[in-house]
Amino acid sequence: MKRIGYIFEDIISVDNLRAAHFEVKRAKKPHRRKAANEYEEHLEENLQRLHDELAAETWTMHPYRRMVRIERGKRREIYYSPVHEDSVVQHAILRTLGKKIQKKFIRDTYASIKRRGTHDGVRRLRDFLSRVPADSACYVKKDDVYHFYDSIQHEPLKDDIVWAIKERKTQRLMFRIIDSFPRGIPIGNAISPLLANLHLTRLDHAAKEKFHIKGYHRYLDDLVALAVGIKDKAKQKMKDFAAYAREYLAKLGLKLKAAEQVYPIERGGIDFLGYVFTRTCIFLRRTTERRFRRAVTRYKEKPTARNRATLSSYWGIVKWISRSKRFWYSFFDKPIHQLEVLPCT
């Protein structure tokens, strides 16, 4: 595979840094916008200085701040740099190098890629299953990496950078960002999802090109592989790939959350992206359905604009399941946009 070269000057160009600055300025977080406004008071001088530091390879990331967030009962530690220039550099990389790295990803890699999010993953897996002949065996391998971001080792990640990029200056710039965090990669960095996707890209290519698994889908650290065909051959292909993936992830220092399983799709379907897929139907995952039912209860008790907005976000999830309209109208007699809201008092 052709490696990326001659990109460093594009990354550090003043025009690219300026565009990256305005991208950061559009952030929803107030502290980001405030830092951007302060930086903009002497914008051209600051950008030129940043360009010179990057060209001389003296720029480094500043110390991180820690923030704890509870998401659906899970405790997440988020680390981010409060310095505006650090965000500008990362967005400058995403604007140039990021687009070239994404071309190395297989089509069925999702998460943090434009137009390739959860809905795209659901559509792609649904369409694949719809083409599976009814008389063919379909075996599934489902894996999820344990504490993926925290478990990423720096040296294997640097090997991925060298595999993708041949220009030494660009490599060293990426190494400085990677080494700015003591272990793994921080969830709060804008560039972290790109690095995380790159880290498993060679496993993706092995699944597609070495094992010829057409039904391979990965959402960040959550991957699903499906082998279709004669029962014994399909099962053996999944076992061979499972052994390869287990050995490959072990070399990267990554662990899987649960015991490895290869099973026919009829045994419980595929739990992926918040849904359960069978050959012909899509259902909500039980935890997702429970959260949706609680949102329905909150809206019926108090039909505020905020509670209806929550339902609107769930409608984007519900619309993918089989018989979605029947499911929705079992709770309401109107479509989402016609639900009433209490007047402001």
Side-chain angles (χ1 to χ4, degrees), residues 72 118-119 122 273-275 282-285 288-289 291-292 310-322 324 327-328:
R72 297 172 184 174
T118 302
H119 295 324
V122 173
L273 300 175
Y275 301 88
I282 304 175
F283 305 97
L284 285 178
R285 183 187 288 164
T288 307
E289 184 175 344
R291 289 197 300 271
F292 171 70
T310 303
L311 281 178
S312 297
S313 66
Y314 275 105
W315 170 243
I317 298 172
V318 169
K319 70 179 183 180
W320 288 103
I321 67 174
S322 303
S324 57
F327 181 76
W328 177 263

Side-chain angles (χ1 to χ4, degrees), residues 8-14 17 47-60 89 167-170 172-173 176:
F8 185 72
E9 294 301 326
D10 293 338
I11 294 172
I12 70 170
S13 70
V14 174
L17 294 174
L47 292 178
Q48 187 62 50
R49 177 178 49 78
L50 178 58
H51 165 81
D52 294 342
E53 290 180 3
L54 290 167
E57 299 188 65
T58 58
W59 173 87
T60 56
V89 173
E167 192 176 29
R168 295 295 179 85
K169 286 186 176 181
T170 308
R172 291 194 291 268
L173 174 60
R176 287 199 296 277

Side-chain angles (χ1 to χ4, degrees), residues 219-232:
Y219 188 93
L220 207 58
D221 64 327
D222 195 4
L223 64 89
V224 168
L226 299 94
V228 178
I230 301 172
K231 180 179 179 180
D232 293 338

Side-chain angles (χ1 to χ4, degrees), residues 29-40:
K29 296 179 181 178
H31 71 274
R32 293 289 187 195
R33 294 198 300 271
K34 181 181 178 181
N37 290 331
E38 293 174 354
Y39 193 79
E40 206 168 282

Side-chain angles (χ1 to χ4, degrees), residues 40-80:
E40 206 168 282
E41 292 177 1
H42 304 283
L43 180 60
E44 296 307 320
E45 295 176 12
N46 289 331
L47 292 178
Q48 187 62 50
R49 177 178 49 78
L50 178 58
H51 165 81
D52 294 342
E53 290 180 3
L54 290 167
E57 299 188 65
T58 58
W59 173 87
T60 56
M61 290 281 292
H62 293 77
Y64 289 88
R65 286 183 182 174
R66 175 175 170 271
M67 178 175 63
V68 177
R69 181 180 296 171
I70 306 298
E71 295 179 353
R72 297 172 184 174
K74 293 183 179 179
R75 185 177 185 272
R76 296 187 182 276
E77 292 186 353
I78 299 174
Y79 292 85
Y80 67 95

Side-chain angles (χ1 to χ4, degrees), residues 40-187:
E40 206 168 282
E41 292 177 1
H42 304 283
L43 180 60
E44 296 307 320
E45 295 176 12
N46 289 331
L47 292 178
Q48 187 62 50
R49 177 178 49 78
L50 178 58
H51 165 81
D52 294 342
E53 290 180 3
L54 290 167
E57 299 188 65
T58 58
W59 173 87
T60 56
M61 290 281 292
H62 293 77
Y64 289 88
R65 286 183 182 174
R66 175 175 170 271
M67 178 175 63
V68 177
R69 181 180 296 171
I70 306 298
E71 295 179 353
R72 297 172 184 174
K74 293 183 179 179
R75 185 177 185 272
R76 296 187 182 276
E77 292 186 353
I78 299 174
Y79 292 85
Y80 67 95
S81 171
V83 178
H84 179 68
E85 283 187 347
D86 293 353
S87 299
V88 170
V89 173
Q90 292 184 57
H91 279 263
I93 293 172
L94 292 174
R95 285 175 48 80
T96 51
L97 178 62
K99 294 178 180 179
K100 291 183 177 291
I101 288 180
Q102 285 179 6
K103 292 180 180 179
K104 297 182 177 295
F105 299 164
I106 64 170
R107 175 59 183 87
D108 292 311
T109 298
Y110 317 106
S112 301
I113 304 173
K114 192 174 183 179
R115 292 188 292 274
R116 283 161 64 178
T118 302
H119 295 324
D120 183 56
V122 173
R123 184 188 303 108
R124 295 277 296 179
L125 181 53
R126 179 199 63 186
D127 292 347
F128 175 82
L129 290 171
S130 69
R131 297 192 298 270
V132 174
D135 57 349
S136 295
C138 182
Y139 276 83
V140 179
K141 172 179 168 54
K142 174 76 167 59
D143 278 332
D144 195 356
V145 180
Y146 180 75
H147 288 177
F148 181 46
Y149 274 61
D150 294 336
S151 301
I152 292 177
Q153 306 293 317
H154 286 187
E155 292 307 315
L157 181 57
K158 290 179 180 179
D159 289 341
D160 293 327
I161 296 294
V162 175
W163 171 78
I165 305 165
K166 65 181 179 182
E167 192 176 29
R168 295 295 179 85
K169 286 186 176 181
T170 308
Q171 291 177 7
R172 291 194 291 268
L173 174 60
M174 300 297 288
F175 293 169
R176 287 199 296 277
I177 295 176
I178 292 170
D179 290 334
S180 67
F181 199 67
R183 54 179 174 78
I185 56 177
I187 294 177

